[in-house]
């Protein structure tokens, strides 16, 4: 028997194409978009840390810079808006607060109908069924960065209550306090009784 000739050495597989860095750099560049940049920055940083693409770490750091710049910008903008008290801004804030308070009066009265008593605090309203937990009990008159609960004061006999915002100055019973605006016919059927005797 004649021996078969050995098989020729197989050709080496072609090298895998090098990964390109442009997709990662694109995500890093998108991190500088206003507001949405935070999401792209987080994605770019994570991708840059786990990727084997060339320049991945550099692209991740670029993305992190965009996210950080967005975060600082949002904080500065929030601070500026919350501390700017122009006449127009104040008028809008007062109107919005009056509407919030009027809505709260409705929820307080609904609580009274269900429980035959007024709530001991505004937070009790948020412990009602899940669909009603979106009730806003926070006063935005002091600014977005320093929310505080509206003032709710139940009388000693539990039959009436006072409800108001302390206004931009943060002090109760001063001229900038804000109270709900209710039609007389509705106010007479509620337990809301504003206490103006302590006004400074």
């Amino acid at each position: 028997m004649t021996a078969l000739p050995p098989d020729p050495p197989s050709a080496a597989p072609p090298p895998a194409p090098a990964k390109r860095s442009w997709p990662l750099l694109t995500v890093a560049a998108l991190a500088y978009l206003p507001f949405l940049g935070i999401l792209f920055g987080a994605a770019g940083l994570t991708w840059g840390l786990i990727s084997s693409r060339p320049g991945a770490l550099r692209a991740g750091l670029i993305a992190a810079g965009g996210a950080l710049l967005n975060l600082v910008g949002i904080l500065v903008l929030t601070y500026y808006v919350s501390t700017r008290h122009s006449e127009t801004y104040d008028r809008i804030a007062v109107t919005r607060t009056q509407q919030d308070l009027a809505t709260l009066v409705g929820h307080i009265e609904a609580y009274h109908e269900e429980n035959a008593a007024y709530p001991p605090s505004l937070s009790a309203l948020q412990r009602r069924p899940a669909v009603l937990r979106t009730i806003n009990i926070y006063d935005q008159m002091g600014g977005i960065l320093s929310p505080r609960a509206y003032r709710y004061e139940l009388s000693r006999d539990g039959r009436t209550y006072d409800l108001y915002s302390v206004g931009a100055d943060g002090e109760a019973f001063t001229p900038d306090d804000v109270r709900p605006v209710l039609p007389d016919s509705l106010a007479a059927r509620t337990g809301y009784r504003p206490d103006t005797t302590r006004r400074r």
Side-chain angles (χ1 to χ4, degrees), residues 168-184:
D169 66 3
E171 296 183 14
F173 303 105
T174 56
D176 74 337
D177 289 358
V178 180
R179 294 182 179 274
V181 176
L182 303 173
D184 292 339

Side-chain angles (χ1 to χ4, degrees), residues 15-186:
K19 294 182 178 179
R20 299 187 178 184
S21 59
W22 68 263
L24 185 50
L25 290 172
T26 301
V27 173
L30 290 173
Y32 290 84
L33 286 174
F35 304 110
L36 290 176
I38 292 179
L39 299 175
F40 284 111
L45 177 60
T46 304
W47 192 5
L49 292 174
I50 64 174
S51 176
S52 61
R53 294 174 185 269
L57 183 58
R58 183 176 67 245
L61 293 175
I62 292 172
L68 184 61
L69 187 63
N70 263 281
L71 184 60
V72 170
I74 289 171
L75 290 175
V76 169
L77 181 62
T78 301
Y79 177 79
Y80 174 76
V81 169
S82 66
T83 57
R84 187 179 177 210
H85 292 291
S86 68
E87 186 177 335
T88 302
Y89 177 87
D90 288 345
R91 188 167 53 248
I92 292 171
V94 167
T95 301
R96 184 186 62 216
T97 300
Q98 288 172 334
Q99 292 170 346
D100 268 359
L101 291 169
T103 300
L104 271 178
V105 168
H107 289 299
I108 291 169
E109 294 301 322
Y111 183 101
H112 183 266
E113 288 182 13
E114 294 171 8
N115 300 279
Y118 285 114
S121 66
L122 291 179
S123 59
L125 297 176
Q126 296 183 320
R127 293 194 289 269
R128 296 173 74 204
V131 72
L132 298 174
R133 289 181 189 164
T134 57
I135 298 169
N136 175 40
I137 64 170
Y138 293 101
D139 181 0
Q140 303 296 322
M141 287 292 291
I144 298 171
L145 298 180
S146 56
R148 58 193 174 221
Y150 287 117
R151 295 289 180 93
Y152 170 74
E153 299 171 359
L154 192 59
S155 65
R156 289 184 180 180
D157 62 10
R159 295 181 180 180
T160 61
Y161 59 90
D162 193 6
L163 178 69
Y164 59 96
S165 160
V166 295
D169 66 3
E171 296 183 14
F173 303 105
T174 56
D176 74 337
D177 289 358
V178 180
R179 294 182 179 274
V181 176
L182 303 173
D184 292 339
S185 58
L186 175 61

Side-chain angles (χ1 to χ4, degrees), residues 10-14:
S10 59

